[in-house]
Amino acid sequence: QSVTLWGRLNTTVESQKIGSLDRKMVLQNNNSRLGLKGSEDLGGGLKVSFNLEHGFESDTGAASGGTTFWNRQSNVELSGSFGAVRLGKWFPGSYFAVPDYVSMHNHDTGTSSDALYAYGDFPSSNKVAYFTPTVGGFSSELSVTAGEGTTKRSLDAAVNYDMGPAHAGFGYQKKGDFNQFAVRGLYEFGPLVLGGYIQRAENTFGGVKKNWNVWRASGMYVVGQSEFHLNFGKADNINVNDGAKQLTVGYNYNLSKRTKVYGFWTKVDNQAAGTYFPVSGMKAGQDFSSLAAGIRHNF
Amino acid sequence: QSVTLWGRLNTTVESQKIGSLDRKMVLQNNNSRLGLKGSEDLGGGLKVSFNLEHGFESDTGAASGGTTFWNRQSNVELSGSFGAVRLGKWFPGSYFAVPDYVSMHNHDTGTSSDALYAYGDFPSSNKVAYFTPTVGGFSSELSVTAGEGTTKRSLDAAVNYDMGPAHAGFGYQKKGDFNQFAVRGLYEFGPLVLGGYIQRAENTFGGVKKNWNVWRASGMYVVGQSEFHLNFGKADNINVNDGAKQLTVGYNYNLSKRTKVYGFWTKVDNQAAGTYFPVSGMKAGQDFSSLAAGIRHNF
Amino acid sequence: QSVTLWGRLNTTVESQKIGSLDRKMVLQNNNSRLGLKGSEDLGGGLKVSFNLEHGFESDTGAASGGTTFWNRQSNVELSGSFGAVRLGKWFPGSYFAVPDYVSMHNHDTGTSSDALYAYGDFPSSNKVAYFTPTVGGFSSELSVTAGEGTTKRSLDAAVNYDMGPAHAGFGYQKKGDFNQFAVRGLYEFGPLVLGGYIQRAENTFGGVKKNWNVWRASGMYVVGQSEFHLNFGKADNINVNDGAKQLTVGYNYNLSKRTKVYGFWTKVDNQAAGTYFPVSGMKAGQDFSSLAAGIRHNF
């Protein structure tokens, strides 16, 4: 059969603290998902493939982010020597090329995911994209979101480069007044992997155009089945005292290629007017921290 | 294993025009779906089978028509030499016997689907049905919808006939004041296939019983992997100036049995008070047209 | 592949009567479901496994009990010689150990399910549990629900014992003012199986602490492919005249291991102030009865 069913359960038990409120114990989903994919060889180098991907809350069983079931992917693609054309829904290429790539400790999911990167409106539905073939280590994606008369069109571009231990990426996104670009690098020094990005974002607040920078550095050190992680990010002020810092320390123990148990400590430090919120229900200026232990299983 | 996972992704990029509004680019789902089916041989000619079918918007990933997941099928069936008895949810037999059968260019889906056929309330949930065995080319389905105390019971009947290149169908539906019957024919003249139907519908509007006719003719010409399609329908007035015409010209290129790329131009011409709307957000009397290019992949 | 897709369709046609209202014909779901499960051997006796389980209304195709898709299970588990630790969502162990175990005629589903057992709030989301290994026929589960700052923590404990034809169970649950414990027994006398439970529940009503008993007895007699069932339960008064009795007589004909056709007659007899409702839309004191015929197919 041509269909593959795959997925991931990623659940932590966390002791979370918001501002000066009491710590609470929380069962936390870390972007669990279920996917269906398939492809058909059409001959002459041509191939059609599809992806359906459902994100769900592993702690409650609900679809992530509302009632849309295939909230991560729903697309069909025709590919060949010319590259590929894809129609439907999927996450922006600029996201995978930059913040997701360097968030090595837990796939940029859950409370220790990148809270600072400027996502814009994260356009994923109603997209048409062209993917270049990989040439000399370079591959690119250019996608346009159909405005459909009610919302503004958005544009997303990504370039990835891979050559041996060296990896780099570039992302660009534009929708209305918001636009951002970012560069990312990552290098594998044997058991030590170091990565990072710098992002420049621009948007309009109260009629005034502002721009700001976000940067992040991350490192992983591998010893046998163990991984030690450090991840630090900083978002500059947009207006006054609204920047933030984020620090995560993590440890993974790989029980197999597909399964790990892990722990992390993460903290987001908002300035007085900062609104970088890893969980809902927070107010401007509140910090967030969490101590977590969990299990991730890919199937 | 006894379970088969199957589906279809069918997505177009369309330039749509409503009335005198600006054309807009739209990514359009054409009734994409995902199904699960299975059966068990019980011995003695007896068989049990089930069908679960989920329709989804391939452009956004949401379940089609609201939050019900298995919005196309959810049923279990016991079959044998006596025919079959089925319980649950599925689309009316009268629909498959008539409008769906002659809408050859794109499975009666999306903006070029039959906008004129009188569907009644399209009863699909809470049904019990009896299916006859196929005898002499004839097969029939009779289904009743449990009123469950709150809604009126509805009745749906369908007969299909297949003998070599000749195919015919009959559909009947009744719920409350609404009832309709229709006859359909289709003949394969080698590479040329011609079909059509005539429908007579009756309903009550403002306390007055009215009836009206709908008819449609369609043709397909096959050359190698190419299909050329023409489809024309007309709905008579129910009251005054509320009829409509629909014309679709289509071209399919079959990359394989399962995958095609295609294009079509479709137009619905509403009279001043006509309300035949291929997409939501239209007003009485507005025309609709769309130029579309897309890909359909069955898996 | 490591993933198993499984499920059950269980649908009846019923003639239901509420209080003195007219009988009505209803197509009734009996807890139909669809599941995904998988496991990975991690070596050294360690295993990881997951369960995703979706309950749906087989008569309409909607997710059971709202819009949460994986409304029955969503969990991941690490197990070994020490027992197992599980994180996520699943039904209380005390439920499977007690009322579900003795409801033999139709898996404690639909209108003939146990309407009297005191469920508390049936905590299933945000759970952490420890399962003991099976020792000397005994196995146990202890689960805690993370309060997550907004709801009270709940605790659920279950013990099961199996030794040849003898089976026993114990369940305990506590959340806020509600708590309950129950003991269950079941014995297989060849083709005759007899079971039952006694439950003691306590809760606060209008500021006053009350406790009450629920008990149930059930029997099955097997002849060839036929099963004859009798099931009787009684809930004592909590306040005044608010108890109820429930009687079910059932017959199953097993077409195969996976498929049965069946019928039952069930009645819930509420006292004047009783509110034990097998279906929605009932009022205090109303009785409910149903005559049902249906089919259940496991896949």
Side-chain angles (χ1 to χ4, degrees):
Chain A
Q1 240 290 9
S2 61
V3 183
T4 302
L5 195 62
W6 64 276
R8 175 191 296 166
L9 275 123
N10 195 357
T11 309
T12 41
V13 183
E14 308 199 355
S15 171
Q16 299 180 352
K17 189 167 175 59
I18 297 176
S20 55
L21 302 175
D22 286 346
R23 284 208 161 267
K24 59 184 180 185
M25 179 183 136
V26 171
L27 204 75
Q28 177 82 40
N29 172 43
N30 295 263
N31 297 36
S32 297
R33 63 198 66 177
L34 178 69
L36 277 175
K37 61 182 175 184
S39 65
E40 183 191 6
D41 188 337
L42 299 166
L46 214 57
K47 197 175 82 165
V48 63
S49 51
F50 73 92
N51 268 294
L52 292 170
E53 190 178 344
H54 160 63
F56 64 94
E57 305 294 311
S58 58
D59 50 346
T60 66
S64 291
T67 56
T68 295
F69 190 79
W70 306 105
N71 45 52
R72 296 182 60 89
Q73 284 196 80
S74 162
N75 57 66
V76 59
E77 176 181 313
L78 203 61
S79 60
S81 55
F82 63 88
V85 172
R86 192 189 284 178
L87 303 179
K89 174 176 194 151
W90 68 98
F91 288 176
S94 62
Y95 165 72
F96 291 112
V98 178
D100 182 71
Y101 203 98
V102 300
S103 191
M104 296 178 280
H105 63 286
N106 198 24
H107 319 281
D108 195 37
T109 70
T111 57
S112 68
S113 62
D114 190 332
L116 308 180
Y117 178 82
Y119 287 95
D121 72 339
F122 209 66
S124 57
S125 291
N126 294 308
K127 294 206 296 186
V128 182
Y130 169 66
F131 294 77
T132 64
T134 301
V135 178
F138 284 93
S139 59
S140 310
E141 171 185 353
L142 178 67
S143 65
V144 182
T145 306
E148 308 214 343
T150 51
T151 51
K152 286 174 192 139
R153 275 190 204 187
S154 69
L155 183 82
D156 191 85
V159 180
N160 282 280
Y161 172 79
D162 298 283
M163 193 56 74
H167 310 273
F170 168 81
Y172 172 76
Q173 197 185 333
K174 179 169 174 53
K175 180 175 178 183
D177 281 349
F178 175 82
N179 70 75
Q180 62 89 8
F181 64 86
V183 290
R184 176 266 303 166
L186 185 139
Y187 199 90
E188 303 172 57
F189 301 93
L192 177 68
V193 181
L194 294 178
Y197 70 78
I198 306 176
Q199 182 188 32
R200 177 97 180 154
E202 188 180 66
N203 208 347
T204 298
F205 301 89
V208 184
K209 198 157 260 191
K210 309 257 183 172
N211 54 48
W212 70 101
N213 299 326
V214 182
W215 66 271
R216 184 167 293 271
S218 67
M220 165 170 75
Y221 189 76
V222 182
V223 188
Q225 293 169 270
S226 292
E227 297 171 7
F228 299 89
H229 291 272
L230 193 65
N231 187 309
F232 178 76
K234 185 170 181 300
D236 288 350
N237 284 344
I238 299 173
N239 295 288
V240 180
N241 275 337
D242 56 0
K245 293 174 190 170
Q246 184 177 19
L247 174 67
T248 302
V249 183
Y251 171 75
N252 293 346
Y253 184 81
N254 293 295
L255 291 164
S256 75
K257 293 230 172 201
R258 292 161 49 198
T259 305
K260 69 170 184 179
V261 287
Y262 63 99
F264 63 76
W265 180 84
T266 191
K267 178 160 195 195
V268 172
D269 229 322
N270 276 304
Q271 291 188 45
T275 57
Y276 295 93
F277 300 155
V279 296
S280 61
M282 291 180 63
K283 290 178 203 144
Q286 281 185 324
D287 294 342
F288 172 86
S289 70
S290 181
L291 185 65
I295 181 165
R296 182 223 62 199
H297 174 59
N298 290 323
F299 59 90
Chain B
Q1 240 289 11
S2 61
V3 183
T4 302
L5 195 63
W6 64 276
R8 176 191 297 166
L9 274 124
N10 194 358
T11 310
T12 41
V13 183
E14 307 199 356
S15 171
Q16 299 181 351
K17 187 165 175 62
I18 296 177
S20 56
L21 302 175
D22 287 346
R23 285 208 161 267
K24 58 185 179 184
M25 180 183 137
V26 172
L27 204 76
Q28 178 81 42
N29 172 42
N30 294 262
N31 298 35
S32 297
R33 63 198 66 176
L34 178 69
L36 277 176
K37 61 182 175 184
S39 65
E40 182 192 5
D41 188 339
L42 299 167
L46 214 57
K47 198 175 81 166
V48 63
S49 50
F50 73 91
N51 268 294
L52 292 170
E53 190 178 344
H54 159 64
F56 64 93
E57 305 294 310
S58 57
D59 50 344
T60 66
S64 291
T67 56
T68 296
F69 190 79
W70 305 105
N71 45 52
R72 297 181 61 88
Q73 285 197 82
S74 162
N75 57 67
V76 61
E77 177 182 313
L78 203 60
S79 60
S81 56
F82 62 89
V85 172
R86 192 189 286 178
L87 303 178
K89 174 176 194 153
W90 67 99
F91 288 175
S94 62
Y95 165 72
F96 291 112
V98 178
D100 183 71
Y101 203 98
V102 300
S103 192
M104 296 178 280
H105 64 285
N106 198 24
H107 320 281
D108 195 38
T109 69
T111 58
S112 68
S113 61
D114 191 330
L116 310 179
Y117 178 83
Y119 289 94
D121 73 337
F122 210 66
S124 57
S125 291
N126 293 309
K127 295 206 297 186
V128 182
Y130 169 66
F131 294 76
T132 65
T134 301
V135 178
F138 284 92
S139 60
S140 309
E141 171 184 353
L142 179 67
S143 66
V144 182
T145 306
E148 308 214 344
T150 52
T151 52
K152 287 174 192 138
R153 276 189 204 187
S154 68
L155 184 81
D156 191 85
V159 181
N160 283 280
Y161 172 79
D162 299 284
M163 192 56 74
H167 310 272
F170 168 81
Y172 172 76
Q173 197 185 334
K174 180 169 172 54
K175 180 175 179 182
D177 283 347
F178 176 81
N179 70 76
Q180 63 87 8
F181 64 87
V183 289
R184 176 266 303 166
L186 185 140
Y187 200 91
E188 303 172 56
F189 301 93
L192 178 68
V193 181
L194 295 178
Y197 71 78
I198 306 178
Q199 182 188 33
R200 178 99 180 151
E202 188 180 67
N203 208 348
T204 298
F205 301 90
V208 184
K209 199 157 260 191
K210 309 257 184 173
N211 54 47
W212 70 102
N213 299 325
V214 182
W215 66 270
R216 184 168 293 271
S218 67
M220 164 170 75
Y221 190 76
V222 182
V223 187
Q225 293 168 269
S226 291
E227 297 171 6
F228 299 87
H229 291 272
L230 193 64
N231 187 309
F232 179 76
K234 185 170 180 300
D236 288 348
N237 283 343
I238 299 173
N239 295 288
V240 180
N241 275 338
D242 56 0
K245 293 174 191 170
Q246 184 178 20
L247 175 66
T248 303
V249 183
Y251 172 75
N252 293 346
Y253 185 80
N254 293 295
L255 292 164
S256 75
K257 294 230 173 207
R258 291 162 50 197
T259 306
K260 69 170 185 179
V261 287
Y262 63 99
F264 63 76
W265 179 85
T266 191
K267 178 158 195 195
V268 172
D269 228 323
N270 275 305
Q271 290 187 44
T275 56
Y276 296 93
F277 300 154
V279 294
S280 61
M282 290 180 64
K283 291 178 201 142
Q286 282 185 324
D287 294 343
F288 172 86
S289 70
S290 181
L291 185 65
I295 182 165
R296 183 224 60 199
H297 174 59
N298 290 324
F299 60 91
Chain C
Q1 241 289 11
S2 59
V3 183
T4 301
L5 194 62
W6 64 276
R8 175 192 296 166
L9 274 124
N10 194 357
T11 310
T12 41
V13 183
E14 307 199 356
S15 171
Q16 299 180 351
K17 189 166 173 62
I18 296 176
S20 56
L21 302 175
D22 287 346
R23 283 207 162 268
K24 57 184 181 185
M25 179 184 138
V26 172
L27 205 77
Q28 178 83 40
N29 171 43
N30 295 261
N31 297 35
S32 298
R33 63 199 65 177
L34 178 69
L36 277 175
K37 61 183 175 183
S39 65
E40 183 191 6
D41 188 337
L42 298 166
L46 215 56
K47 198 175 81 164
V48 64
S49 50
F50 73 92
N51 269 295
L52 292 170
E53 190 178 344
H54 159 65
F56 64 94
E57 305 294 311
S58 58
D59 51 345
T60 66
S64 290
T67 56
T68 296
F69 190 79
W70 305 105
N71 44 52
R72 296 181 62 88
Q73 285 197 80
S74 162
N75 57 67
V76 60
E77 176 182 313
L78 203 61
S79 59
S81 56
F82 63 89
V85 172
R86 192 190 285 179
L87 303 179
K89 174 177 195 151
W90 67 98
F91 288 176
S94 62
Y95 165 72
F96 291 112
V98 179
D100 182 72
Y101 203 98
V102 300
S103 191
M104 296 179 281
H105 64 284
N106 198 24
H107 319 281
D108 195 37
T109 70
T111 58
S112 68
S113 61
D114 191 331
L116 309 179
Y117 178 82
Y119 288 94
D121 72 337
F122 209 67
S124 57
S125 290
N126 293 310
K127 294 206 299 186
V128 182
Y130 168 66
F131 294 77
T132 65
T134 301
V135 178
F138 284 93
S139 59
S140 311
E141 170 185 353
L142 179 67
S143 64
V144 182
T145 306
E148 310 215 342
T150 52
T151 52
K152 288 173 191 138
R153 276 188 204 188
S154 68
L155 183 82
D156 190 86
V159 180
N160 282 281
Y161 171 79
D162 298 284
M163 192 56 73
H167 311 272
F170 168 81
Y172 172 75
Q173 197 185 333
K174 181 171 172 51
K175 180 176 178 182
D177 281 349
F178 175 82
N179 70 76
Q180 63 87 9
F181 65 86
V183 289
R184 177 264 306 166
L186 186 138
Y187 199 89
E188 303 170 57
F189 301 93
L192 178 68
V193 181
L194 295 178
Y197 70 79
I198 305 178
Q199 182 188 31
R200 177 103 181 147
E202 189 180 66
N203 207 348
T204 299
F205 300 90
V208 184
K209 198 158 260 192
K210 309 259 183 171
N211 53 50
W212 69 101
N213 299 326
V214 181
W215 65 271
R216 184 168 292 270
S218 67
M220 165 171 73
Y221 190 76
V222 181
V223 188
Q225 293 169 270
S226 292
E227 297 171 6
F228 299 88
H229 291 272
L230 193 64
N231 187 309
F232 178 76
K234 185 171 180 302
D236 287 350
N237 283 344
I238 299 172
N239 295 289
V240 180
N241 276 336
D242 56 0
K245 292 173 191 169
Q246 184 178 20
L247 175 67
T248 302
V249 183
Y251 171 75
N252 293 346
Y253 185 80
N254 293 296
L255 293 163
S256 74
K257 294 230 173 205
R258 291 162 49 198
T259 305
K260 69 170 184 178
V261 288
Y262 64 99
F264 63 77
W265 179 84
T266 192
K267 179 159 194 195
V268 172
D269 230 322
N270 276 304
Q271 289 187 45
T275 56
Y276 295 93
F277 300 153
V279 296
S280 60
M282 290 180 65
K283 290 178 203 143
Q286 282 185 323
D287 293 344
F288 172 86
S289 71
S290 181
L291 185 65
I295 181 166
R296 183 223 60 198
H297 174 60
N298 290 324
F299 59 89

